[in-house]
Amino acid sequence: MDNLFDLSGKTVLVTGSSRGIGKQIALQMALQGANVVISSRKAEACDRAAAEIAAQVSGSNGGSVTAIPGHIGFKDQLEDLVAQTNERVGEIDVLVCNAAVNPYYGPMAEISDSAFEKVLDCNIKSNHWLCQLVLPQMVKRNEGVIIMMSSIGGLYGHSTLGTYSLSKAADMQLARNIAIEYGPHNIRANAIAPGLIKTDFSKALWENEDALRATADTIALRRIGTPEEIAGAAVFLASAAGSYMTGQTLVIDGGMMGL
Ligand SMILES: NC(=O)c1ccc[n+]([C@@H]2O[C@H](COP(=O)([O-])OP(=O)(O)OC[C@H]3O[C@@H](n4cnc5c(N)ncnc54)[C@H](OP(=O)(O)O)[C@@H]3O)[C@@H](O)[C@H]2O)c1
């Protein structure tokens, strides 16, 4: 194969892809020829992101871009998302479980039951459901890739992001379990654990100049990351370049973990 990163003709579903990391993953995969599905809760945001990506891809040998909204917290909406993807684009080759929520910042002792359940439902159960919905079509074709968007938060204890980090640790384990259960079907599953990336999700951690500088001082590269710097790893994991990698978690944090 000439281009190990080629994704021509692959159907890729990326949850939470109307902005941030998911949008960049969709763009970079489309630039590699994939037919991507943009999804998030808001239909308008999906349409806007899909139009932007289509414009950036046009003129290259890029793939198609389709917007299909859906809330990851509801099983019927995930069923509809997969069914519509199959109908309008094709059977899913690459599933990127990227969308997640974090409604609470503070000690775990004080988190409400509803916030705790929301984090577990949206960050773990939704990914489990999506995989249950998509894996049978991958098994049928004896090929498939699943990518879980985790976080370095899932690798260590945290005083204010405990429940979110718990859910992100579970996402790494979901990838490991799928890798073991479905490896014999030529299906690979890996997780990506980003450090601090400049998106709306993490705005509270970077919008204040002083706080940003203090955080940057704890990172080997002395800066926070960008969505593009995560998207390349997703292309690697989805493509032939990553074909012998499964069950792993790729840490991409500019050297934050080691300091
Ligand atoms: N940014 C960081 O520093 C960082 C670090 C480590 C890990 N991560 C992980 O990276 C992933 C993406 O985060 P991001 O920083 O790119 O966030 P972001 O810029 O806020 O984007 C989040 C995306 O998810 C969608 N979304 C939110 N809730 C949803 C729901 N219930 N159902 C479906 N879609 C939903 C949003 O669109 P709508 O509002 O239209 O739904 C949006 O498209 C998350 O899993 C996050 O935990 C981020």
Side-chain angles (χ1 to χ4, degrees), residues 150-194:
S150 178
S151 164
I152 56 166
L155 290 167
Y156 58 91
H158 209 290
S159 56
T160 50
L161 288 171
T163 309
Y164 169 78
S165 298
L166 181 72
S167 73
K168 292 298 178 175
D171 286 333
M172 294 177 200
Q173 187 64 22
L174 261 180
R176 288 184 205 111
N177 289 343
I178 291 167
I180 291 298
E181 285 188 43
Y182 291 88
H185 298 282
N186 192 32
I187 294 165
R188 297 183 295 107
N190 291 286
I192 297 176

Side-chain angles (χ1 to χ4, degrees), residues 2-249:
D2 290 340
N3 178 3
L4 281 174
F5 298 90
D6 181 41
L7 292 172
S8 295
K10 299 286 185 194
T11 298
V12 178
L13 170 58
V14 188
T15 63
S17 45
S18 64
R19 60 175 191 266
I21 294 170
K23 185 180 173 191
Q24 262 306 316
I25 290 175
L27 169 64
Q28 296 304 328
M29 290 196 179
L31 285 169
Q32 295 297 330
N35 300 319
V36 298
V37 172
I38 306 300
S39 190
S40 82
R41 287 166 302 181
K42 300 173 194 125
E44 266 179 35
C46 292
D47 289 341
R48 218 172 21 248
E52 278 174 38
I53 293 172
Q56 286 173 275
V57 167
S58 100
S60 68
N61 286 328
S64 65
V65 190
T66 306
I68 306 175
H71 189 310
I72 53 163
F74 297 94
K75 197 172 195 178
D76 57 342
Q77 295 195 30
L78 293 176
E79 286 166 348
D80 182 61
L81 175 60
V82 171
Q84 279 206 54
T85 300
N86 291 160
E87 202 178 298
R88 295 168 59 187
V89 190
E91 290 198 329
I92 297 165
D93 297 292
V94 180
L95 170 65
V96 185
C97 297
N98 170 73
V101 301
N102 182 29
Y104 173 78
Y105 192 77
M108 281 187 77
E110 289 165 25
I111 191 169
S112 67
D113 285 353
S114 66
F116 187 84
E117 276 159 24
K118 186 171 181 183
V119 173
L120 268 51
D121 281 355
C122 287
N123 298 2
I124 308 174
K125 206 193 312 174
S126 63
N127 292 341
H128 164 66
W129 279 339
L130 253 184
C131 290
Q132 279 190 326
L133 287 165
V134 171
L135 278 162
Q137 49 192 264
M138 292 180 169
V139 168
K140 201 177 71 191
R141 294 194 315 282
N142 200 43
E143 189 170 33
V145 174
I146 290 177
I147 300 170
M148 293 285 162
M149 196 53 63
S150 178
S151 164
I152 56 166
L155 290 167
Y156 58 91
H158 209 290
S159 56
T160 50
L161 288 171
T163 309
Y164 169 78
S165 298
L166 181 72
S167 73
K168 292 298 178 175
D171 286 333
M172 294 177 200
Q173 187 64 22
L174 261 180
R176 288 184 205 111
N177 289 343
I178 291 167
I180 291 298
E181 285 188 43
Y182 291 88
H185 298 282
N186 192 32
I187 294 165
R188 297 183 295 107
N190 291 286
I192 297 176
L196 183 54
I197 306 299
K198 194 170 185 180
T199 67
D200 289 353
F201 193 81
S202 58
K203 208 169 188 168
L205 302 173
W206 56 258
E207 65 182 348
N208 174 298
E209 270 296 321
D210 293 337
L212 175 60
R213 203 170 314 279
T215 303
D217 282 346
T218 68
I219 301 171
L221 293 179
R222 295 293 188 270
R223 63 175 179 84
I224 64 173
T226 64
E228 292 84 346
E229 292 176 308
I230 302 302
V235 170
F236 160 73
L237 290 173
S239 64
S243 59
Y244 201 52
M245 183 155 179
T246 196
Q248 300 302 309
T249 297

